[in-house]
Amino acid sequence: MDAGIDVEHLTKTFGRGKTPALIDLNLRVEPGETLGIVGPNGAGKTTLVNLLTGADQPDGGSVRLGANLEMATLDQHRESLDPKSTLADALTGGRGDHVMVGGKPKHVVGYMKDFLFAQEQMRTPLEVLSGGERGRLMLARALAKPSNLLVLDEPTNDLDLDTLDVLEDMLGDYDGTVILISHDRDFLDRVVTSVIAPDRDGRWIEYAGGYSDMLSQRGADLKREAATAPVAGEEKAEKIAASSAAPRRRLSFNEKHALETLPKTIAKLQAEIAKQQRLLDDPDLYRKDRKTFDSASAAIARAQEELAAAEDRWLELEVLREEIEQA
Ligand SMILES: Nc1ncnc2c1ncn2[C@@H]1O[C@H](COP(=O)(O)OP(=O)(O)O)[C@@H](O)[C@H]1O
Ligand SMILES: [Mg+2]
């Protein structure tokens, strides 16, 4: 009767010469746990989820799913629904007036109300739903499926604030295991029981508690690391020590701006690396076109260096923001 997930030595790399998305990950997800997955864009969060759920295969290591796991995913993007079908039908599957929720029948109107729909919307065709309503519908559908594992990949990006409240309530009532990718730290703090975050070079670390707990543990780790690291770490150690010794005022405009724009920068650099890598993926390139080979190699090296710096900066600012907000 195990509905947990056991991960051993999990490793996945996309493409030759790339930093692995994950390397030698060992993890146990307990039944009933709500695991948050955080990290910058391109860190490998979706990859991790795909490996956990069996949607993708690792290069090495194993994922063992409990024999009784029944998975439901919230999939706003891939799920295709007939645009002419009605809201009620989308919830009941066209089978009468009831939705099975947690094994019990519930009238579709009551269920719609749980998700902030009005009774009049029963016959509304899906094609006229707003984006927010569509998000709510997908959530309602996912939660109506019998499941003890719920997988949510960045649900907070597409849901409006009211729907987030609904989701939070539903997660509170949900008995099963939840795996949740999100950048919304307040939301994470309210719902998760542990957090896993990328460290570097494909290594991931699990932290007990919410997102804030993760940041403070991580901040302590960074300080320790920086304090013991020779020369190269010195400047960083000073910066971090300074920021924690005297509780800082607030994030400067530039720091705030950087925190907001770094994820985009990171994504851009990753795209650039991928683009150059595609050129190098041609095994004949070196022979055929030495010039392109050299420039692609150089561009990758440059972008990887910038990427590492951007990721470090992002994490540093996250830690700083955390310290300021707690002071
Ligand atoms: N199917 C794939 N083929 C090649 N590269 C991939 C594939 N899926 C993901 N990647 C790469 O792996 C890295 C992690 O991607 P992903 O798991 O989607 O990150 P996240 O969800 O954290 O934003 C990225 O660099 C991405 O480009
Ligand atoms: Mg993703």
Side-chain angles (χ1 to χ4, degrees):
M1 288 293 289
D2 184 6
I5 304 176
D6 282 296
V7 173
E8 280 182 0
H9 305 300
L10 200 65
T11 296
K12 180 85 182 176
T13 309
F14 293 105
R16 274 176 296 136
K18 284 233 202 155
T19 310
L22 41 136
I23 192 158
D24 197 26
L25 174 68
N26 294 288
L27 177 71
R28 157 95 185 146
V29 185
E30 296 289 345
E33 182 176 338
T34 298
L35 173 68
I37 302 178
V38 305
N41 288 336
K45 302 180 296 295
T46 298
T47 301
L48 174 55
V49 161
N50 287 342
L51 294 172
L52 290 178
T53 59
D56 196 2
Q57 296 307 309
D59 299 333
S62 63
V63 173
R64 209 171 50 79
L65 298 178
N68 297 306
L69 266 188
E70 256 194 282
M71 182 169 38
T73 51
L74 173 63
D75 206 335
Q76 295 105 319
H77 307 294
R78 263 169 291 173
E79 196 170 42
S80 58
L81 288 169
D82 178 1
K84 304 279 178 212
S85 73
T86 65
L87 185 55
D89 282 348
L91 289 170
T92 62
R95 292 181 296 271
D97 287 334
H98 289 81
V99 188
M100 293 298 286
V101 184
K104 287 187 215 111
K106 176 159 185 157
H107 196 275
V108 66
V109 171
Y111 193 60
M112 280 171 48
K113 283 189 176 151
D114 289 346
F115 291 88
L116 315 175
F117 289 109
Q119 177 164 4
E120 302 78 72
Q121 290 178 288
M122 259 184 98
R123 304 285 158 233
T124 301
L126 302 185
E127 61 192 349
V128 305
L129 292 182
S130 71
E133 288 169 335
R134 208 178 155 77
R136 254 182 278 148
L137 168 64
M138 292 309 165
L139 187 58
R141 280 173 57 89
L143 289 164
K145 286 181 192 141
S147 75
N148 53 16
L149 171 63
L150 188 60
V151 178
L152 306 166
D153 189 342
E154 305 210 18
T156 53
N157 295 1
D158 304 298
L159 301 180
D160 54 41
L161 286 176
D162 291 335
T163 311
L164 277 184
D165 286 342
V166 174
L167 176 59
E168 191 180 330
D169 288 347
M170 297 286 162
L171 291 181
D173 291 340
Y174 186 72
D175 281 335
T177 309
V178 180
I179 297 177
L180 167 70
I181 299 180
S182 179
H183 292 289
D184 184 332
R185 99 189 245 181
D186 294 324
F187 189 75
L188 284 162
D189 270 342
R190 287 194 295 269
V191 302
V192 304
T193 51
S194 61
V195 170
I196 185 164
D199 188 21
R200 54 184 63 208
D201 303 332
R203 304 208 173 264
W204 291 71
I205 304 180
E206 193 186 5
Y207 300 86
Y211 188 64
S212 298
D213 299 304
M214 184 273 290
L215 280 181
S216 47
Q217 288 173 60
R218 199 160 178 135
D221 286 349
L222 276 185
K223 268 178 235 162
R224 207 173 309 122
E225 224 178 73
T228 54
V231 199
E234 246 165 48
E235 195 190 332
K236 200 169 182 181
E238 274 164 24
K239 245 189 251 165
I240 294 175
S243 73
S244 59
R248 278 261 302 273
R249 18 83 186 174
R250 51 177 65 208
L251 286 180
S252 72
F253 176 80
N254 283 341
E255 286 166 337
K256 232 190 236 156
H257 182 71
L259 205 46
E260 280 160 15
T261 54
L262 274 169
K264 228 178 235 155
T265 307
I266 288 170
K268 245 194 227 151
L269 287 166
Q270 282 163 336
E272 170 66 15
I273 291 170
K275 191 175 116 195
Q276 302 294 341
Q277 185 62 48
R278 274 194 296 277
L279 293 173
L280 293 183
D281 280 345
D282 174 1
D284 292 331
L285 184 67
Y286 182 84
R287 201 171 34 80
K288 270 189 332 209
D289 185 352
R290 180 66 198 266
K291 220 168 154 191
T292 305
F293 179 89
D294 285 343
S295 71
S297 304
I300 285 189
R302 208 165 42 234
Q304 269 166 345
E305 206 169 294
E306 283 173 38
L307 177 62
E311 286 179 339
D312 279 355
R313 180 71 180 140
W314 180 82
L315 183 60
E316 194 186 328
L317 287 172
E318 281 284 274
V319 170
L320 183 59
R321 179 175 73 169
E322 168 67 10
E323 284 177 352
I324 289 169
E325 285 178 11
Q326 276 186 355

